[in-house]
Amino acid sequence: MSVPAVPDPHPTGTGPIPAEPGTAAEGNMIRPFHVDVPEDELAELRRRVATRWPDRETVADRSQGAQLAKIQELVRYWGTGYDWREAEAKLNALPQFITEIDGLDIHFIHVRSAHPGALPMIMTHGWPGSVLELLKVIGPLTDPAAHGGRAEDAFDVVLPSIPGYGFSGRPASVGWGPDRIGRAWDELMRRLGYQRYVSQGGDWGSVISDELARLAPPMMVTRPQTLGYSLADSPVGLAAWFYDKFADWTYSGGDPERSLTKDEMLDDISLYWFTGTATSGARLYWENNADNFNAVDVWLPAAITVFPGEIYRAPRSWAQRCYHELIYFNEVDKGGHFAAWEEPELFAAEIRAAFRSLRQPE
């Protein structure tokens, strides 16, 4: 489910300040960022994926969890044919930055459209995703005319990594729940020069988008640290855990290779492995252990696209009770929990349609 929101409805300027080093005041500095995992860490990963395997499941389906043959195939490829440097190259081809907010380094990608009237949008990934799940929609959103859309529907996009995920800093104390992240995202957008912007997210991204709106004016919930001992030490355990979620949450009938390539899944798994953020990412569930499918109370313009493979598919009646100014609601026939990753063109078309009524006349 995609739940964009508008944290500041007052049009007091939409043009961004270029995200260049030295453009922010002391303490708010925006610094360029480049991904470069040391070669010895790549070699260590290849060594560690040689593992002692458990017994094969005793059923012919996924009812007991990730199937042994599927995980063995994925992990063998991870240790032999997979190339992390290709993922690095995709990230490093984009403008990446780090800035400190509320005592924590926040990593983000900032891509500006060539269109002068582009609408600023901050997009938040979920779990077990990362900014990688959003890369395929950058082109369709910043340059819609090249992807079957209209130039006037262009966006400037900001893709931050949630604290404790990927290349953002790992909180060393409690308190980094969705409300604090929402405040950090608002500070980030204002630091980039955006006083009026929209927000999009699925999974944790939708929860954080709801918190942004309020600013205007499983296992991991209870014991994230215990889970982390296995995920931080075993790349195979991490791969099996994530693969099982990809199988559950893509619109693939339990066969995630129908929606995502092995390389795409391993890019995301590798990102968590190399940054050591499996445990810190899980802690967000402890920080916010409420039922995120409960009703919210948002009075700013909001839009929802319902994808058929989502964990929860909101009915219009629920959406209208929660989002009192629902400007867009649509149900599509493809895509799941990782919609931007699975169906980037459809996802981008939905985003353009959802926010069209909020654009300033030129």
Side-chain angles (χ1 to χ4, degrees):
M1 180 173 66
S2 173
V3 187
V6 185
D8 188 345
H10 307 293
T12 55
T14 58
I17 294 174
E20 300 291 344
T23 59
E26 185 87 23
N28 293 344
M29 187 67 71
I30 295 171
R31 315 179 312 263
F33 181 79
H34 183 86
V35 183
D36 187 13
V37 172
E39 188 61 39
D40 60 352
E41 291 192 28
L42 300 178
E44 173 70 1
L45 170 63
R46 288 190 287 268
R47 184 188 68 80
R48 292 174 72 101
V49 296
T51 189
R52 184 172 66 178
W53 295 100
D55 292 341
R56 182 188 178 278
E57 63 277 1
T58 57
V59 294
D61 55 26
R62 294 185 53 250
S63 59
Q64 293 182 351
Q67 294 170 296
L68 180 62
K70 290 280 192 179
I71 297 302
Q72 285 179 325
E73 181 184 359
L74 183 70
V75 168
R76 286 184 186 124
Y77 177 64
W78 199 10
T80 55
Y82 171 74
D83 185 1
W84 163 255
R85 298 301 183 198
E86 292 185 7
E88 280 189 344
K90 284 187 285 188
L91 287 167
N92 291 331
L94 297 165
Q96 296 181 90
F97 305 93
I98 291 279
T99 190
E100 183 181 316
I101 300 177
D102 200 7
L104 199 67
D105 276 347
I106 301 298
H107 164 263
F108 65 99
I109 296 168
H110 183 198
V111 181
R112 292 173 296 229
S113 172
H115 192 273
L119 180 64
M121 176 167 59
I122 186 166
M123 305 177 70
T124 310
H125 65 85
W127 181 93
S130 63
V131 292
L132 288 167
E133 70 182 272
L134 301 172
L135 298 190
K136 290 192 284 189
V137 301
I138 292 175
L141 292 174
T142 58
D143 187 12
H147 296 267
R150 308 180 308 172
E152 55 265 36
D153 287 332
F155 293 86
D156 286 350
V157 296
V158 178
L159 313 178
S161 295
I162 296 173
Y165 288 69
F167 303 109
S168 281
R170 288 176 281 187
S173 59
V174 301
W176 276 96
D179 56 341
R180 190 171 179 182
I181 297 170
R183 292 193 298 272
W185 275 198
D186 184 59
E187 169 62 23
L188 173 61
M189 293 302 279
R190 294 177 188 277
R191 193 171 291 182
L192 293 173
Y194 300 121
Q195 300 302 313
R196 180 180 183 270
Y197 59 92
V198 296
S199 172
Q200 185 280 329
D203 190 77
W204 279 119
S206 67
V207 180
I208 293 166
S209 288
D210 286 342
E211 292 299 331
L212 269 171
R214 294 187 182 103
L215 286 177
M219 178 193 289
M220 294 181 295
V221 171
T222 57
R223 295 292 187 271
Q225 192 69 20
T226 303
L227 179 66
Y229 292 119
S230 59
L231 299 188
D233 184 62
S234 170
V236 175
L238 182 66
W241 181 246
F242 278 33
Y243 182 86
D244 205 32
K245 298 308 176 188
F246 294 151
D248 279 338
W249 296 346
T250 53
Y251 189 52
S252 64
D255 187 6
E257 287 86 352
R258 295 179 180 176
S259 297
L260 303 170
T261 67
K262 285 187 176 65
D263 286 278
E264 288 172 336
M265 288 186 281
L266 287 172
D267 286 347
D268 188 62
I269 296 167
S270 299
L271 178 67
Y272 277 82
W273 175 259
F274 290 128
T275 58
T277 53
T279 305
S280 56
R283 290 194 189 109
L284 186 53
Y285 288 82
W286 183 89
E287 291 281 357
N288 182 73
N289 60 10
D291 184 352
N292 292 323
F293 300 134
N294 284 343
V296 295
D297 192 31
V298 173
W299 290 87
L300 291 178
I304 291 177
T305 296
V306 180
F307 294 90
E310 252 296 8
I311 301 170
Y312 174 71
R313 293 174 293 283
R316 184 187 291 268
S317 57
W318 179 92
Q320 289 171 329
R321 286 197 300 270
C322 298
Y323 300 96
H324 303 287
E325 194 177 339
L326 189 65
I327 60 172
Y328 184 84
F329 183 94
N330 192 33
E331 299 182 50
V332 295
D333 60 0
K334 295 185 293 185
H337 191 63
F338 308 97
W341 216 3
E342 300 173 62
E343 301 290 341
E345 295 292 340
L346 173 61
F347 179 91
E350 285 296 300
I351 292 292
R352 294 194 293 259
F355 289 121
R356 192 163 290 143
S357 66
L358 297 177
R359 294 179 178 274
Q360 297 295 304
E362 298 186 27

